[in-house]
């Protein structure tokens, strides 16, 4: 059972766009007939009926990162669950959680409607760097278990801390005529947008889907550029849009994303936005609108 939430609010993405200086119109890819999901597609490492990826777990550093992991039982039965954490290179990774200590795995049992929250302590790694990785709901977890994360940035020199939550489903489908995901971006007025792409397919069952195609459009649906993002099984790739994809600097628009080598990719994205203005800052996560 898929749990993708189809949103009708496409931020900055018109359904039809007229070419500048021309009378003809361009057909928006999302108006094309939708491609049915391929048969037999299922999570490579997440066997639960409902599943979640935590694409970018961070803790510590001078910026003051902490991450909350919230686990909820949305069903009517008692459910056991497990959330596992990995480094960006697919190694088991420990985070320090308040009241728990250092662990690479959180486990528990929840009654119907119950939830539990675990918060990292801001502990830096031995070399002084932040602890950086990702997490996933383990295949042994009950089918009604949902997990999401809240990222908190509390840099002391700024006026206020800020936080945002994210929950990402497993993978992206689609094609060039029917993108599987759309992400709005805005790198104007001091905003800096970034992306985390995590490939949780540690069993490498979807090796043909380890590359995503990304087409960049401005808010008038003019194409600004194209990119490919390749993420090895169990690894993560970070993109700071204005510096890595320079055509997005001082622009706003949308990213259209689909797999390069198949009709399904296990790669799960997280989009986030920073803004630094004087003595204040903001940090939020952006919606990943999925259509597959």
């Amino acid at each position: 059972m898929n749990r993708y939430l189809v949103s009708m609010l496409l931020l900055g993405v018109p359904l039809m766009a007229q070419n500048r200086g021309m009378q003809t119109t361009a057909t928006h890819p999302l108006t094309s007939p939708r491609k049915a999901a391929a048969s037999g597609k299922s999570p490579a490492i997440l066997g639960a009926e409902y599943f979640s990826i935590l694409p970018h777990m961070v803790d510590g550093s001078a910026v003051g990162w902490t991450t909350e992991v919230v686990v909820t039982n949305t069903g009517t039965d008692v459910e056991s669950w497990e959330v596992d954490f990995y480094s960006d290179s697919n190694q088991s990774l420990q985070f320090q959680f308040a009241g728990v200590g250092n662990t690479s795995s959180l486990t528990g049992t929840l009654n119907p409607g119950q939830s539990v929250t675990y918060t990292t302590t801001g502990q830096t790694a031995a070399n002084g760097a932040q602890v950086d990785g990702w997490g996933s709901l383990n295949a042994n977890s009950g089918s009604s278990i949902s997990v999401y994360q809240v990222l908190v940035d509390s840099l002391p020199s700024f006026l206020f801390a800020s936080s945002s939550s994210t929950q990402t489903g497993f993978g992206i489908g689609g094609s060039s005529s029917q993108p599987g995901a759309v992400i709005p971006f805005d790198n104007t007025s001091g905003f800096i947008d970034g992306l985390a792409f995590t490939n949780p397919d540690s069993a490498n069952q979807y090796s043909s889907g380890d590359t995503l195609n990304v087409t960049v459009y401005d808010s008038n649906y003019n194409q600004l550029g194209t990119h490919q993002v390749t993420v090895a099984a169990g690894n993560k790739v970070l993109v700071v849009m204005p510096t890595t994809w320079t055509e997005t600097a001082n622009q706003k628009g949308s990213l259209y994303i689909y797999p390069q080598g198949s009709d399904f990719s296990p790669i799960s994205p997280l989009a986030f936005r920073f803004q630094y203005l004087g003595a204040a800052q903001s940090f939020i996560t952006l919606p990943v609108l999925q259509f597959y």
Side-chain angles (χ1 to χ4, degrees):
M1 180 186 298
N2 290 327
R3 298 187 71 197
Y4 295 143
L5 177 62
V6 179
S7 173
M8 300 304 295
L9 177 61
L10 304 183
L11 303 181
V13 185
L15 289 181
M16 300 290 289
Q18 188 171 39
N19 294 333
R20 292 180 177 178
M22 300 178 64
Q23 298 300 314
T24 58
T25 58
T27 301
H28 194 287
L30 295 182
T31 63
S32 305
R34 295 192 175 175
K35 187 174 183 179
S39 61
K41 293 298 184 184
S42 61
I45 63 170
L46 307 176
E49 180 181 7
Y50 301 146
F51 45 87
S52 299
I53 301 294
L54 307 178
H56 189 37
M57 291 278 299
V58 289
D59 193 42
S61 85
V63 178
W65 285 113
T66 57
T67 301
E68 294 180 357
V69 176
V70 183
V71 186
T72 303
N73 182 356
T74 61
T76 57
D77 298 317
V78 177
E79 299 278 15
S80 297
W81 57 270
E82 179 177 332
V83 177
D84 300 318
F85 305 106
Y86 303 92
S87 70
D88 294 349
S89 57
N90 196 34
Q91 304 299 313
S92 180
L93 179 66
Q94 290 190 339
F95 286 88
Q96 187 176 93
F97 290 92
V100 176
N102 287 312
T103 183
S104 60
S105 179
L106 295 171
T107 61
T109 300
L110 290 173
N111 292 324
Q114 282 189 323
S115 64
V116 61
T117 300
Y118 297 87
T119 305
T120 63
T121 62
Q123 182 77 17
T124 57
N127 61 0
Q130 70 185 28
V131 181
D132 192 337
W134 57 278
S136 71
L137 185 65
N138 188 275
N140 297 321
S141 300
S143 62
S144 297
I145 294 296
S146 180
V147 59
Y148 67 94
Q149 65 188 111
V150 179
L151 306 177
V152 180
D153 175 12
S154 56
L155 188 63
S157 62
F158 288 97
L159 290 179
F160 58 89
S162 55
S163 65
S164 191
S165 62
T166 180
Q167 175 181 329
T168 300
F170 179 85
I172 290 177
S175 64
S176 58
S177 62
Q178 181 62 51
V182 176
I183 300 175
F185 72 89
D186 183 352
N187 292 316
T188 66
S189 304
F191 290 120
I192 300 174
D193 287 359
L195 303 163
F197 294 97
T198 298
N199 184 351
D201 182 19
S202 61
N204 204 26
Q205 296 186 33
Y206 300 99
S207 57
S208 62
D210 63 0
T211 297
L212 295 176
N213 288 327
V214 181
T215 305
V216 183
Y217 295 99
D218 69 12
S219 56
N220 292 314
Y221 193 53
N222 297 304
Q223 184 174 314
L224 300 179
T226 60
H227 302 277
Q228 286 190 331
V229 178
T230 300
V231 188
N235 283 237
K236 183 175 70 184
V237 170
L238 295 175
V239 174
V240 180
M241 290 181 61
T243 56
T244 307
W245 298 344
T246 55
E247 79 278 9
T248 67
N250 299 313
Q251 293 279 355
K252 63 173 62 175
S254 297
L255 309 175
Y256 283 53
I257 304 174
Y258 63 94
Q260 191 270 333
S262 68
D263 62 353
F264 178 81
S265 169
I267 297 173
S268 300
L270 166 67
F272 46 88
R273 174 174 298 158
F274 292 92
Q275 186 182 45
Y276 300 95
L277 293 175
Q281 69 169 342
S282 65
F283 165 72
I284 63 171
T285 53
L286 302 175
V288 178
L289 309 176
Q290 294 190 317
F291 298 90
Y292 187 78

